[in-house]
Amino acid sequence: QSVLTQPASVSGSPGQSITISCTGARSDVGSYKYVSWYQQHAGKAPKLLIYDVTLRPSGVSNRFSGSKSANTASLTISGLQAEDEADYYCSSYTLSGVYVFGPGTKVTVL
Amino acid sequence: EVQLVESGGGLVKPGGSLRLSCAASGFTFSSYSVNWVRQAPGEGLEWVSSISSESNYISYADSVKGRFTVSRDNAENAVFLQMNSLRVEDTAVYYCARDGAGDYGFDYWGQGTLVTVSS
């Protein structure tokens, strides 16, 4: 099955913007618009931030945005806030008919 | 209010079996695919299985194929995960999640149920 790669950690100061990358292959991220992003605070269930590459569910702050170029999807958090400190996971549907998650990125607000 | 509540987790010996349940409420259950996602202690998320709204499309991660079976009962608004031949590496919190956002997005998640496989 496909493997997605994400940076292990990303940090930024309050108010800054950070970007988390999610690199896959033509068989997953590169083939579909089926990429989503999740935020998970310690001890909590994941929360959907972005679906279909760029779309935000209602109630999710517009500080979160998604994009994709070729086999790499990206999540950008603008105006970083203390509450954004969490783990972030990308996920994609694959040509094999299964889903995969990235290994996760720990975001630290300095 | 959309709710997903998992149950059935617990301690089981290697080689044993366990059946997880996911009870849904607050939405038209029969219209949505449901997935199982697990998270080993201190690790990331791992997709486990997916079942479509009418059970006509089912898929599994390679790590559980042949050992786990997903099913659903739309009359009971519930999804089940039958886990056989359990291994130590199956130890994890198991979440059920609704695939309800656009073409792909798990928009609602349960609180998870812990499965511990240990002798």
Side-chain angles (χ1 to χ4, degrees), chain A residues 38-47 49 64 81-89 106-107, chain B residues 39 95:
Chain A
Y38 302 86
Q39 176 192 60
Q40 187 180 35
H41 286 105
K44 302 291 189 182
K47 173 188 175 183
L49 290 179
F64 296 94
Q81 299 179 0
E83 68 211 47
D84 299 332
E85 192 158 288
D87 294 323
Y88 293 81
Y89 297 90
K106 182 177 181 60
V107 168
Chain B
Q39 187 169 34
Y95 297 100

Side-chain angles (χ1 to χ4, degrees), chain A residues 1 33-36 38 40 43-48 50-52 57 89 91-93 96-103, chain B residues 35 37 39 43-47 50 57 59-63 65 95 99 101-107 109-112:
Chain A
Q1 288 171 324
K33 67 171 183 174
Y34 304 155
V35 174
S36 54
Y38 302 86
Q40 187 180 35
K44 302 291 189 182
K47 173 188 175 183
L48 178 66
I50 298 289
Y51 66 97
D52 293 358
Y89 297 90
S91 182
S92 176
Y93 184 66
S96 305
V98 300
Y99 298 92
V100 289
F101 282 92
Chain B
N35 292 258
V37 177
Q39 187 169 34
E43 301 294 325
L45 302 174
E46 179 187 14
W47 174 80
S50 176
Y57 187 76
S59 55
Y60 300 96
D62 286 347
S63 57
K65 199 175 295 183
Y95 297 100
D99 186 357
D103 287 314
Y104 173 42
F106 297 165
D107 57 350
W109 296 64
Q111 83 290 348

Side-chain angles (χ1 to χ4, degrees), chain A residues 17-21 35-38 49-57 60-68 73-79 84 88:
Chain A
S17 293
I18 61 171
T19 296
I20 302 169
S21 61
V35 174
S36 54
W37 289 89
Y38 302 86
L49 290 179
I50 298 289
Y51 66 97
D52 293 358
V53 180
T54 63
L55 303 180
R56 257 187 331 270
V60 172
S61 171
N62 59 8
R63 298 186 298 104
F64 296 94
S65 62
S67 63
K68 191 184 83 162
S74 298
L75 173 72
T76 297
I77 308 174
S78 58
D84 299 332
Y88 293 81

Side-chain angles (χ1 to χ4, degrees), chain B residues 11 36 63 72 78 88-89 105 119:
Chain B
L11 176 63
W36 289 95
S63 57
R72 65 189 292 162
V88 171
E89 54 265 34
S119 54

